[in-house]
Amino acid sequence: MYTAHPDRYADMPYRRTGHSGLKLPALSLGLWHNFGPDRPAETQRAILRRAFDLGVTHFDLANNYGPPPGAAESVLGEALKADFAPYRDELVISTKAGYLMWPGPYGEWGSRKYLLSSLDQSLARMGLDHVDIFYSHRFDPETPLEETMGALHSAVQQGKALYVGVSNYSAEQTREAARILGELGTPLLINQPRYSMLDRRPEDEGLLDALDELQVGSIAYSPLEQGLLTARYLDGIPEDSRAASDSPFLNTDALTEDLVGRLRTLNGIAASRGQTLAQMALSWVLRGGRVTSALVGASSPQQLEDSIAATRSLGFDAEELARIDAVVKQEEQEEQ
């Protein structure tokens, strides 16, 4: 029988999410990869247990996480029943709907029918009566935003979600979503964008500015760029790596000799800070407090521990930031 560590809240920083009363851990556990029938069940449960023991109170999912789609929610449902039932009120559990989940015209995007049906299925897989955060996973250009946001509002009204968020929404789409939700009486809690040292679109395209103005929280996904911002590829492409498998999210074509050289330079900067490259990448996303939380995946408890160690050194001096910017911005200039 699992018993949570008594000092689980001793070291993890928690940040208030926008203008709400909800605090999230600086690092949250994402179940996008590594949770499904293709991985050992005991390893998956060990990761979840270790996360909670280290103060990671937020588990982030989507309806289609797996593979196969739905598998990650099923895995979490089993863990909730076996290990976390006594701790449900200490956990923040989020899920999303927007990408393809089932065939036919009602199995993706942003219609009321899809979002609310998907949420019911997600709750059944996890064995829950509600999630803490329910997201629209992507903007639907063919469905009125009033309908999509109305479905999120209904989820709250029905008691099936406590808060709502959006993911992969631009600054202007987020402003409009927040306006509609505000008029309905269900505030927009959070936006989940892709954001890392190598992907700065939330900064460059004004999303972080919009979130500051709206007093909406943010949680960054892919802060390690699918493993690029780790030591994994500094000396080539390991046979068992994501890039070697030609994943749709990272493939061998992306790993140019020039990029590897830049990663090695960044690794040197991290070493001068007493961090791994992955730790520095996470610290960078969380610097200054503009981002509420960063999502990390893990294939083992040890990998998770390495990521969480980043929270011990979240500050950067001006010279360090300038050195990092020089590496990244030189790459952007060459691409142009």
Side-chain angles (χ1 to χ4, degrees):
M1 177 63 118
Y2 167 70
T3 301
H5 197 286
D7 296 329
R8 57 191 175 277
Y9 297 114
D11 298 319
M12 175 63 69
Y14 296 88
R15 297 177 168 187
R16 188 169 301 280
T17 312
H19 189 55
S20 77
L22 183 70
K23 293 183 178 181
L24 292 179
L27 291 183
S28 299
L29 180 64
L31 279 69
W32 183 10
H33 304 294
N34 302 315
F35 289 85
D38 59 334
R39 305 294 175 111
E42 275 309 306
T43 300
Q44 296 172 68
R45 285 181 64 185
I47 293 168
L48 293 167
R49 291 170 179 169
R50 189 62 181 142
F52 189 54
D53 283 344
L54 292 171
V56 177
T57 53
H58 178 209
F59 298 155
D60 177 82
L61 303 100
N63 57 356
N64 62 338
Y65 287 178
E73 290 179 332
S74 296
V75 166
L76 182 63
E78 293 168 3
L80 289 171
K81 183 177 179 180
D83 296 328
F84 296 105
Y87 307 105
R88 171 62 183 100
D89 291 336
E90 296 183 45
L91 292 170
V92 173
I93 297 171
S94 59
T95 197
K96 316 175 198 71
Y99 287 94
L100 181 63
M101 184 60 189
W102 62 82
Y106 319 121
E108 62 178 326
W109 293 107
S111 72
R112 179 180 181 85
K113 178 171 177 59
Y114 169 60
L115 292 177
L116 295 180
S117 297
S118 177
L119 178 56
D120 285 342
Q121 292 181 20
S122 293
L123 293 174
R125 281 189 290 270
M126 292 186 283
L128 296 173
D129 60 5
H130 74 277
V131 292
D132 297 282
I133 308 171
F134 182 48
Y135 288 86
S136 167
H137 205 167
R138 61 172 168 171
F139 179 80
D140 182 349
E142 296 185 354
T143 296
L145 193 56
E146 288 81 1
E147 178 176 341
T148 301
M149 295 302 105
L152 297 185
H153 171 67
S154 291
V156 173
Q157 294 298 104
Q158 294 168 7
K160 296 176 181 179
L162 301 185
Y163 302 92
V164 298
V166 296
S167 181
N168 301 303
Y169 275 53
S170 71
E172 287 311 307
Q173 291 162 354
T174 301
R175 290 181 192 278
E176 185 64 5
R179 182 192 67 78
I180 294 167
L181 285 168
E183 291 177 356
L184 291 171
T186 296
L188 178 63
L189 175 79
I190 196 166
N191 186 308
Q192 186 175 130
R194 180 167 182 153
Y195 182 45
S196 74
M197 285 195 297
L198 300 180
D199 187 345
R200 303 188 178 193
R201 284 174 293 176
E203 289 179 13
D204 299 338
E205 298 174 3
L207 178 61
L208 293 185
D209 290 337
L211 297 179
D212 288 343
E213 294 167 17
L214 296 167
Q215 295 186 291
V216 169
S218 59
I219 180 165
Y221 76 87
S222 293
L224 302 181
E225 280 296 307
Q226 298 294 314
L228 279 180
L229 290 169
T230 70
R232 189 84 162 130
Y233 301 104
L234 297 179
D235 298 307
I237 302 175
E239 291 183 3
D240 62 345
S241 66
R242 186 169 298 159
S245 69
D246 277 333
S247 160
F249 307 107
L250 179 64
N251 56 55
T252 53
D253 292 339
L255 280 159
T256 64
E257 188 174 324
D258 180 68
L259 175 58
V260 172
R262 297 182 193 284
L263 295 176
R264 289 175 180 157
T265 302
L266 291 172
N267 188 58
I269 299 172
S272 71
R273 288 171 47 84
Q275 290 184 306
T276 65
L277 176 55
Q279 288 165 351
M280 184 178 76
L282 294 170
S283 296
W284 185 90
V285 164
L286 294 167
R287 77 199 186 287
R290 294 188 82 187
V291 171
T292 312
S293 183
L295 277 168
V296 295
S299 58
S300 68
Q302 294 73 29
Q303 188 180 61
L304 179 68
E305 291 166 5
D306 181 76
S307 293
I308 290 174
T311 62
R312 300 174 194 150
S313 183
L314 297 179
F316 289 81
D317 62 36
E319 182 183 356
E320 289 171 330
L321 291 174
R323 291 170 66 195
I324 291 168
D325 286 350
V327 175
V328 174
K329 290 181 179 179
Q330 181 182 352
E331 179 181 18
E332 291 174 349
Q333 289 170 359
E334 290 179 358
E335 288 177 351
Q336 292 172 358

